Amino acid sequence: MFLPSALTQESAMSDKPRVRFAPSPTGYLHIGGARTALYNWLYARHTGGTFILRIEDTDRERHTPEAVQAIIDGMKWLGMDWDEGPIHQSERLARYQEVAAELEKKGLAYKTTKGAEEKGEALAFRVAAAQEKVVFDDQVLGKVEFQDEVIEDFILMRSNGWPTYNFSCVIDDHDMAITDVIRGLDHVSNTPRQLMIYKAMGWETPRFAHIPMITNSEGKKYSKRDGAVAVGDYANAGYLPEAFANYTALLGWSPGGDLEIMSREVMVEKFTLDRVRKTASQFDFQKLEWMNGKYIEGLPAAELAGRVAPFMKSAGLDPDARGSEWLEKLGQLLKERAHTLVQFPKLSRYFFADDYEVVPQAAEILAKDTAPAALKAALGALEALPEAEWTPAKLDPVLREAAKAAGMGFGKLAQPVRAAVTGTNVSPGLFEVLELVGKERTLARIRRVPGVG
RNA sequence: GACCCCAUCGUCUAGCCUGGCCUAGGACAUAGGCUUUUCAAGCCUAGAACACGGGUUCAAAUCCCGUUGGGGUCGCCA
């Protein structure tokens, strides 16, 4: 039976890009890796292609199951999914041996003990035979050209029997039918060697796209000492994955125009490799934090409350203590002031408990001669307000009236009340704060100020 | 050192491919102001860049060459 439509579909499908993220499990998913993964993922989703996760664990000493898990966790946190994998190179040894044998048989590779640290023979690739100028067309860099004399014979199979990166990488990219290799710029210099292997095997080469480095404030490759490097650190510090991904994507790529904050969908729609820059970019914590704040503000109340809750818990506050509606209101109150999730518990201890700290500035306000009078005026007005009317809408006129009656500007009354109830001179709007602290606690806190009760 | 890559405000970038609309736009940060119960947010304003030198052209941030500067890689790591 002839099925033209199925055939058409099939061949259309084979044109779809296949990309991979191939981290080495050395401990965690770091910023650079996260962005490389993201670009691959975005590219796959934009083109309707396939995204593959491959674990490059051919180095016997450096890989652990925990490290693999950390990478998977990091990717999931960032909202990435993959269509194939994770494929572990450590499970494909037989295939690497097979290709090695073929190259040796062709005379393109040879056994050697040269440069050996340990006993045993390694298999080296014979560059001399294939030597010529290497040129490739990079999707980000454009034409990249290497002089012909610079590359020397290199090791394919180590004397311990395992393949080296350049070898296993090529075999896997070929076997997995990878069409586009999107990786960090630090891999450019590996490309000529890899190209030689493709040629030696008679394999079609993928397209390459080398994306620029992420640097520290000194313009050097970003590393541990420059600040948080693992994506897990950002999760713990209260960054939203969508904000982190958005910010990171913008390090080296832009959708054009003035667009910065964009949904995942828009990012997928807009992402193309030809808009990736060639220049390294510095990781700017301030801008990340600003963007995170924007994302926090944009979260629906219930969603925000849900994200904040775990951070409350780990700070020793019970997010469920006053009910979900209360927690949502609290979130709304603090969201414009918090740039990260960890700041929520820091800004809200006095809503939960009486053991909050009193900052010097607040103590100062309460120690002023004028404080008791202001507090007494407020206290009288607040005592008279029924519990059922303990809302910002009612508290507002009541307190303003009290200030007027006492012959003072509202600010003169508000600051002492704020200091008495929150222990700080800085808080969200007073009426909203009083509402959430509750009538009973508010009154008690005002009464206990010396000279008032 | 060799090889490779890069070069727009302090930072992220738009513009560059397809020269003219660029007295170079936006964002973060900074400074000042407005608003105001404090803070935050918001709004307004300011300063702030085409690395340098040649060339091509009527015209160059945009194209070419050089210089300088920066980065990456030089492993039986990835």
Side-chain angles (χ1 to χ4, degrees):
Chain A
M1 203 204 283
F2 185 52
L3 294 169
S5 62
L7 279 178
T8 309
Q9 211 170 19
E10 178 106 12
S11 61
M13 274 174 73
S14 64
D15 289 341
K16 296 286 192 190
R18 290 173 59 83
V19 296
R20 66 356 182 238
F21 173 53
S24 169
T26 51
Y28 46 76
L29 180 61
H30 59 84
I31 294 172
R35 193 196 47 166
T36 301
L38 186 60
Y39 281 14
N40 274 283
W41 184 88
L42 286 168
Y43 183 72
R45 294 296 169 258
H46 176 83
T47 57
T50 303
F51 179 54
I52 302 165
L53 175 59
R54 184 171 82 217
I55 305 296
E56 309 232 324
D57 53 359
T58 57
D59 184 3
R60 63 281 125 147
E61 264 142 50
R62 291 209 284 171
H63 59 271
T64 63
E66 294 75 39
V68 173
Q69 192 56 46
I71 288 167
I72 288 175
D73 289 345
M75 290 181 70
K76 283 186 177 165
W77 181 70
L78 282 168
M80 286 184 263
D81 52 352
W82 45 96
D83 308 304
E84 295 175 21
I87 294 160
H88 292 256
Q89 290 193 321
S90 54
E91 290 167 9
R92 290 174 44 77
L93 184 56
R95 165 95 260 236
Y96 306 138
Q97 290 168 335
E98 183 183 314
V99 178
E102 191 174 335
L103 283 172
E104 194 181 359
K105 206 166 100 188
K106 286 181 177 171
L108 296 169
Y110 60 94
K111 294 257 173 60
T112 179
T113 54
K114 194 183 161 206
E117 302 157 353
E118 299 162 36
K119 61 284 156 195
E121 281 181 322
L123 185 73
F125 185 81
R126 200 184 300 281
V127 170
Q131 196 161 44
E132 60 183 57
K133 192 183 230 181
V134 177
V135 181
F136 66 96
D137 192 35
D138 190 279
Q139 292 187 85
V140 172
L141 300 174
K143 191 175 175 191
V144 180
E145 221 165 321
F146 283 81
Q147 299 307 308
D148 47 5
E149 73 280 6
V150 295
I151 299 161
E152 297 180 352
D153 290 6
F154 56 94
I155 302 298
L156 260 18
M157 296 294 281
R158 296 186 274 235
S159 54
N160 69 5
W162 286 92
T164 57
Y165 163 75
N166 280 128
F167 194 41
S168 54
C169 179
V170 167
I171 295 171
D172 284 352
D173 284 341
H174 169 261
D175 286 1
M176 295 170 194
I178 299 300
T179 59
D180 298 81
V181 172
I182 304 170
R183 65 197 348 177
L185 192 70
D186 47 345
H187 283 292
V188 181
S189 50
N190 283 318
T191 310
R193 279 181 260 277
Q194 298 189 359
L195 253 12
M196 287 177 184
I197 299 173
Y198 281 103
K199 192 177 177 191
M201 289 302 295
W203 290 339
E204 195 184 333
T205 58
R207 290 182 291 259
F208 291 94
H210 289 97
I211 64 182
M213 304 272 86
I214 293 177
T215 62
N216 62 19
S217 55
E218 282 160 7
K220 304 256 167 73
K221 203 169 166 180
Y222 193 97
S223 73
K224 272 175 250 187
R225 45 168 309 198
D226 300 311
V229 64
V231 298
D233 294 341
Y234 290 87
N236 294 335
Y239 288 92
L240 264 33
E242 50 271 57
F244 186 83
N246 193 157
Y247 175 72
T248 311
L250 257 17
L251 249 28
W253 170 80
S254 121
D258 298 337
L259 186 59
E260 285 197 316
I261 294 181
M262 68 196 100
S263 68
R264 182 61 56 108
E265 292 69 37
V266 170
M267 219 183 288
V268 166
E269 181 199 322
K270 302 268 185 191
F271 188 85
T272 54
L273 287 173
D274 62 4
R275 294 206 57 88
V276 174
R277 301 189 101 223
K278 302 174 181 177
T279 356
S281 8
Q282 281 187 30
F283 196 90
D284 182 356
F285 293 94
Q286 281 184 314
K287 188 150 185 179
L288 200 217
E289 195 163 315
W290 165 80
M291 191 173 281
N292 200 53
K294 286 296 183 190
Y295 269 88
I296 285 176
E297 265 187 79
L299 245 30
E303 174 73 23
L304 178 60
R307 303 243 201 159
V308 162
F311 288 88
M312 294 287 194
K313 271 190 196 127
S314 52
L317 305 177
D318 177 11
D320 306 319
R322 314 277 288 270
S324 61
E325 197 187 324
W326 181 83
L327 185 65
E328 283 180 26
K329 278 187 182 173
L330 181 58
Q332 295 309 295
L333 213 51
L334 298 174
K335 69 178 184 181
E336 277 180 3
R337 291 159 182 83
H339 289 139
T340 60
L341 261 19
V342 286
Q343 286 169 358
F344 281 79
K346 283 183 181 160
L347 293 170
S348 57
R349 178 148 217 106
Y350 58 83
F351 286 102
F352 288 88
D354 290 319
D355 64 350
Y356 54 86
E357 176 198 5
V358 177
V359 304
Q361 293 93 324
E364 234 170 78
I365 291 169
L366 294 176
K368 279 184 184 165
D369 303 344
T370 51
L375 290 172
K376 278 177 185 164
L379 188 60
L382 292 174
E383 280 170 336
L385 188 66
E387 186 89 42
E389 291 177 31
W390 195 260
T391 63
K394 296 286 184 187
L395 286 161
D396 185 329
V398 162
L399 284 176
R400 282 186 198 280
E401 192 52 45
K404 207 170 168 187
M408 58 181 79
F410 181 63
K412 294 281 187 238
L413 180 136
Q415 274 307 79
V417 173
R418 169 174 281 116
V421 178
T422 70
T424 83
N425 59 324
V426 168
S427 84
L430 188 60
F431 313 124
E432 288 77 13
V433 167
L434 297 189
E435 181 198 22
L436 293 184
V437 168
K439 181 174 178 181
E440 198 183 319
R441 272 185 162 142
T442 297
L443 298 184
R445 288 177 188 180
I446 294 175
R447 285 189 192 116
R448 77 183 182 192
V449 174
V452 178

